[in-house]
Amino acid sequence: MLEILYQDEWLVAVNKPAGWLVHRSWLDRHESVFVMQTVRDQIGQHVFTVHRLDRPTSGVLLMGLSSEVARLLCGQFEQHQMQKTYHAVVRGWLEGEETLDYALTEELDKIADKFSNPEKAPQPAVTHWRALAKAELPVPVSRYDTSRYTLMELKPQTGRKHQLRRHMTHLRHPIIGDSAHGDLRQNRSAAQHFGMKRLMLHASELRLDHPVTGEPLVLRAGLDSVWQEMMTTFGWQDALPDLPRVEFAASSLQDSVTE
């Protein structure tokens, strides 16, 4: 059973657990658990994809209950009419808030994107970031005597592939658990000492106007046990007061940093 954040006759939103694929993919032929099929079985009707979250990312996932509503919601995403808020744990200390405007070259998958243009020019990418809390723990990592972490609020204005991961790496503060763009030594240390064995990126909130009624909607996804334990260890229990705590059944994690 998935946590349903909102449901009416037109759309449904769930709190996607980390490690779950949104839908079936021939790239992951051996997987048997998917968000869309689980939600379909849970509510007893078909759902239609509107956007996606990467497999290791948890948080708000919105789906339409008809192809027409899904089309309207997709239009809102494409026109950047929805406000998305993520939270992440990154390496090192950051302070203040800024807007990062840094174009990204397209990341191509060797199989899925084999017919895409590898010479495509970098695409505009904008992320608003704000540092919320810092922690320093007496755990040596790499050439440092301690481990430093920052809790970040990230608001992407554009939607490029792995935008938040790549933007934080550009700032030299990669997201903990990012196996593709992050710091391998820091990832291993965070997994070993603090239980952060996956990508520490959570889609916390989605704000939009209802595609049928026009009603403003604010969808929030709570934090799972990995986040809760980390927040307690780092003394950040009060840093995100608007996000509830939730429990998920265990699932396999493809993006594990210990592999």
Side-chain angles (χ1 to χ4, degrees):
M1 297 284 286
L2 292 176
E3 180 193 13
I4 294 179
L5 304 174
Y6 178 88
Q7 182 181 357
D8 60 23
E9 60 184 295
W10 299 288
L11 54 86
V12 62
V14 300
N15 191 351
K16 174 192 170 298
W20 283 50
L21 288 168
V22 173
H23 50 67
R24 293 183 183 275
S25 168
W26 61 274
L27 294 174
D28 295 276
R29 294 186 297 272
H30 303 297
E31 287 303 312
S32 58
V33 179
F34 308 92
V35 174
M36 290 188 64
Q37 283 75 17
T38 300
V39 175
R40 178 198 63 194
D41 295 342
Q42 190 169 327
I43 68 175
Q45 64 183 109
H46 286 287
V47 295
F48 297 80
T49 184
V50 172
H51 66 127
R52 66 184 296 272
L53 294 175
D54 291 337
R55 181 174 186 164
T57 304
S58 56
V60 180
L61 185 70
L62 182 63
M63 291 163 280
L65 296 181
S66 71
S67 58
E68 175 60 20
V69 169
R71 184 185 64 80
L72 294 173
L73 290 170
C74 285
Q76 289 191 40
F77 273 104
E78 292 168 0
Q79 297 300 317
H80 309 299
Q81 295 172 345
M82 298 186 184
Q83 299 178 21
K84 296 176 284 186
T85 300
Y86 292 74
H87 288 96
V89 181
V90 304
R91 179 191 71 182
W93 281 0
L94 269 171
E95 295 183 344
E97 58 183 297
E98 291 183 11
T99 297
L100 176 60
D101 187 345
Y102 178 71
L104 296 171
T105 55
E106 188 172 6
E107 282 193 337
L108 300 178
D109 183 272
K110 292 182 180 180
I111 300 177
D113 299 319
K114 64 180 180 179
F115 298 115
S116 299
N117 179 13
E119 305 300 326
K120 188 175 182 179
Q123 299 297 296
V126 178
T127 300
H128 308 287
W129 64 261
R130 180 164 67 103
L132 300 179
K134 297 186 297 183
E136 183 172 16
L137 287 301
V139 175
V141 59
S142 189
R143 65 181 185 275
Y144 302 104
D145 294 331
T146 61
S147 299
R148 290 182 171 186
Y149 301 97
T150 302
L151 176 65
M152 301 292 295
E153 176 187 85
L154 305 174
K155 295 188 175 184
Q157 184 175 314
T158 51
R160 307 303 173 195
K161 184 177 181 180
H162 295 172
Q163 175 176 316
L164 299 181
R165 302 198 210 183
R166 299 173 71 189
H167 268 181
M168 294 314 300
T169 297
H170 175 73
L171 292 176
R172 300 184 184 276
H173 293 276
I175 297 174
I176 297 301
D178 186 347
S179 59
H181 311 93
D183 181 328
L184 181 59
R185 291 181 180 177
Q186 187 79 57
N187 289 345
R188 287 176 173 169
S189 177
Q192 178 182 352
H193 297 286
F194 307 117
M196 295 187 285
K197 299 180 180 180
R198 63 157 203 261
L199 182 71
M200 296 303 290
L201 180 63
H202 181 68
S204 306
E205 182 181 281
L206 184 64
R207 291 176 178 261
L208 68 149
D209 291 332
H210 195 289
V212 178
T213 68
E215 171 193 4
L217 294 179
V218 179
L219 309 174
R220 292 191 180 98
L223 302 173
D224 65 17
S225 60
V226 173
W227 271 86
Q228 294 174 44
E229 292 171 10
M230 177 275 301
M231 298 281 281
T232 299
T233 300
F234 291 177
W236 295 344
Q237 299 95 319
D238 301 324
L240 300 175
D242 293 334
L243 295 185
R245 276 48 177 164
V246 297
E247 297 294 337
F248 292 124
S251 63
S252 60
L253 301 180
Q254 182 188 54
D255 204 46
S256 172
V257 300
T258 59
E259 291 179 349

